[in-house]
Structures are given as structure tokens and as C-alpha cells.
């Protein structure tokens, strides 16, 4: 994952991703949001629910990491989180609003982290287990990497949603 883009530009891209995707998500009907391509796949509404869960888990990681010397975080059972919250039965418009507001808040949180905290090299970490693009356990990691990786994960799932809706 490239960190060539400045952090300020990254934050602007993060915000634009949320604003742009929110508008596109609102063009998807509630019926389209519930259609699955296959029985064992998540429907778009479940993918968006997963992204809410990811925001919730990463929110606490982004905050906690500012007060620790490591990046050791537990994972979470993604499938169980999605199934237990029954996103298929949720309001599509409410879920879009929640996802959008939560991620705009994460942009705000990420924008306030001091550069020395953001770029501090950390060991140990669990980014070999919880990151979207894994970091070798023997290599140090940074909070900035985790935040940038979060956006890569988010975009991956947004692409899934928009691709899935197109295929129906």
C-alpha cells in the first residue's frame, strides 16, 4: 500500500470517498440492497452493515492507539456480527446515514492525530491478523498504516456493493 500521497491529501480522499459513495448508495433501492448474487454471499445491505461494524471496531483502534506503545488489537467475528444484527431487515436509508456519519467522524478523528503518534514505529502489533493488507509480524507498523489500510478495505467493499448492484 502506497503512502506516497500526503496525509492531508489522504484525508481529503477519505472524505471524498464517503461523500461520493453516500450519494451513489442513495441511488440503490432497498430491494436492490437486499439481493444476493449467491446464497452464501452477503447482500449489499449486509456489506454496508459490515462496513459499519468495521468503522466501530476501527474507531476504538484509532483512538486507543494514541495512548499505547503497540498496535495490538483483537479481531472480531465478522460473519457473526453481520448475522446477529440482521442487516437484511434494517432500513437501507438509515444504514447509509449511519455508515456515512460514522466514517465522516473517523475522518475527523484521523485528522486530529499528532504526526509523531501517527508515524511512530510500533512493535508488537496484530496487523498480521487484522489488517486488510497484512503486515509481517516481525516488521514494525504505524497507526498511519492502519488508517490508510482501513480506507483500502472500505473501498474494496464499496466496489463490491456497486458491482453487485450492476450485475442484477
Amino acid at each position: 500500500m502506497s503512502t506516497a500521497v500526503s496525509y492531508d491529501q489522504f484525508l481529503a480522499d477519505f472524505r471524498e470517498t464517503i461523500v461520493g459513495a453516500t450519494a451513489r448508495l442513495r441511488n440503490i433501492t432497498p430491494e436492490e440492497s437486499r439481493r444476493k448474487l449467491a446464497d452464501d454471499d452477503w447482500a449489499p445491505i449486509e456489506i454496508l452493515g459490515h462496513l459499519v461494524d468495521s468503522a466501530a471496531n476501527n474507531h476504538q483502534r484509532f483512538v486507543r492507539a494514541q495512548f499505547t506503545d503497540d498496535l495490538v488489537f483483537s479481531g472480531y467475528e465478522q460473519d457473526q456480527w453481520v448475522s446477529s444484527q440482521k442487516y437484511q431487515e434494517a432500513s437501507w436509508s438509515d444504514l447509509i446515514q449511519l455508515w456515512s456519519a460514522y466514517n465522516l467522524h473517523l475522518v475527523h478523528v484521523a485528522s486530529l492525530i499528532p504526526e509523531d503518534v501517527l508515524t511512530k514505529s510500533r512493535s508488537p502489533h496484530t496487523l498480521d491478523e487484522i489488517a486488510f493488507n497484512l503486515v509481517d509480524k516481525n516488521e514494525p507498523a504505524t497507526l498511519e498504516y492502519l488508517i490508510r489500510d482501513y480506507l483500502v478495505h472500505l473501498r474494496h467493499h464499496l466496489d463490491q456493493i456497486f458491482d453487485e448492484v450492476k450485475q442484477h
Side-chain angles (χ1 to χ4, degrees), residues 100-121:
S100 181
Y102 209 153
N103 278 281
L104 290 174
H105 179 66
L106 289 182
V107 172
H108 170 73
V109 168
S111 75
L112 300 173
I113 301 169
E115 185 176 357
D116 62 321
V117 173
L118 200 60
T119 59
K120 179 181 178 182
S121 198

Side-chain angles (χ1 to χ4, degrees), residues 88-139:
Q88 274 281 16
E89 300 168 20
S91 162
W92 177 237
S93 62
D94 288 353
L95 198 58
I96 293 168
Q97 184 176 352
L98 174 60
W99 172 82
S100 181
Y102 209 153
N103 278 281
L104 290 174
H105 179 66
L106 289 182
V107 172
H108 170 73
V109 168
S111 75
L112 300 173
I113 301 169
E115 185 176 357
D116 62 321
V117 173
L118 200 60
T119 59
K120 179 181 178 182
S121 198
R122 321 268 188 112
S123 287
H125 64 77
T126 51
L127 302 189
D128 61 312
E129 299 170 18
I130 65 166
F132 187 67
N133 291 299
L134 302 176
V135 177
D136 187 287
K137 190 169 199 64
N138 299 314
E139 297 294 322

